[in-house]
Amino acid sequence: MRTVIVGNGMAGSRLVGELRSRDRRMPITVFGAEKARPYNRVMLSNVLAGASAPGDIHLTDPGWYADNDVDARLGLPITRIDRRERTVTSADGDVTPYDALVLATGSTPVVPPLPGLDAEGVVVFRTLEDCRAIVRHAESARSAVVVGGGLLGLEAARGLAGRGVPVTVVHRAGHLMDRQLDPEAGGVLRRTLHDLGVRTLLNARLSAARAEVGRVSGVELDDGTVLAADLVVLACGVRPETGLATASGLTVDRGVLVDDRLRSVDDPGVHAIGECAQHQGTVYGLVAPAWEQARVVADVLTGRTARYRGSRLVTRLKATGIELAAMGETGLGDDEAEVVRFTDPTRGTYKKIVIRDGLLVGAILLGETGTAGLLTQLYDRAEPLPADRLHLLFDGLGTGTPVDTPVRIPDTATVCRCNNVTKGRIRASWEAGARDVPGVAAETRATTGCGGCRDTVVGILEWLDRQDPGPHHEPGAEVSRL
């Protein structure tokens, strides 16, 4: 089966790897609009902050495609799909036939149609090249404005502040990260950011960017306020990239409509995964669902039985000095569900769990996320909750054992959501000789997605090291299972 993948980002490149791990002979051609080999887009905030170099976030080695007999055409976007002839046409005019076509075209940044946004120094934050441009401008910037107070915008703002650039976030909603947080949590987060050097303006709308000699010099808000800035970062959201799908006659709503096998509802020979796919009314914008979808499509294309049932999302903010995890229906109030809260704004702490019919349906942990693993497990599996709700918010409560320690996590619990890695797999890789995070990552891919599970993986490895009976212990030997 000749498989063509359109898109070489986090979804498309993962599908290539999943297919090749199942079938060494399948002809695979992947087209990527970017010239760079695939990289972890989630870790761009680390590059912006200076915590990682661009070369640290690539997902494949330089020679991987050649070594695995994959025809990778990078920097070569697809311009046309002919579903009747089952071919795709690339920007160089070449026509490539397919038996199975997978669209992994991702999303396009939203750029408001406002005056001045074409000036030098106005940059969207989406690709590795965008990140390099922001870093380059930040080296001489006296002040910066980030437009958008969502997840990506706040990561950009914190990264710039960490480089010593005064930053103001302009956000149109009444509180930060309004899609994931309730107003109270948004208020605590705003205070924390202020303490870290990030100013925020809420209920504020950009009306234009000002420029001098072609270079941005500031922005104007709809109330007439003018903010000086020689760097403006646009993080106004994204929209699924569905132009090719629409032009080829596929049914598109917000994304390409797909069934439980992630096939287009119009053409079983065309699949869609990642941010361009819409499954049961939902377009997922995080890496874990995209990689789960890649696994399902790899199974389907290699003759295995697989269904995609949707994903339950956990959002983590990756910014130095801020710990945040949010999941589920966080906006419900006391009149709609059982809600347990703890707030300590002076210390930047806000915790909330939302319970309905005895099950966890939402949670926010800001400032201290020690029970995030436990809550994620309860949320994922819809397991009954303990009667003492406070144990879900605080580590141990003086019992001597934190509720989220490796001892308490069962082997079946998912530690790395992005790659669906359980504690049991991490234990198995440790027993096989992977005694540090890079070793476990190479064996299981844990920590290579959003990176939010790294501390938990470190804790498990340290705990396993303490269980090692001594220097004569064999790597594959059994370790007592607590």
Side-chain angles (χ1 to χ4, degrees), residues 113-134:
L114 299 174
L117 295 187
D118 57 348
E120 177 71 13
V122 179
V123 189
V124 296
F125 186 28
R126 181 64 179 167
T127 68
L128 186 55
E129 282 305 309
D130 295 334
C131 189
R132 288 190 173 111
I134 294 171

Side-chain angles (χ1 to χ4, degrees), residues 48 118-124 129-144 160 163 165 214-216 229-233:
L48 181 56
D118 57 348
E120 177 71 13
V122 179
V123 189
V124 296
E129 282 305 309
D130 295 334
C131 189
R132 288 190 173 111
I134 294 171
V135 171
R136 187 170 61 252
H137 288 299
E139 291 175 351
S140 59
R142 292 165 295 180
S143 60
L160 288 170
R163 289 179 175 271
V165 181
R215 180 174 178 80
V216 69
D230 38 22
L231 169 59
V232 175
V233 178

Side-chain angles (χ1 to χ4, degrees), residues 4 29 31 71 73 78 86-90 94-98:
V4 170
T29 302
F31 291 88
D71 182 9
R73 307 187 189 181
I78 293 298
R86 292 203 165 198
T87 62
V88 297
T89 303
S90 49
D94 192 32
V95 177
T96 303
Y98 68 83

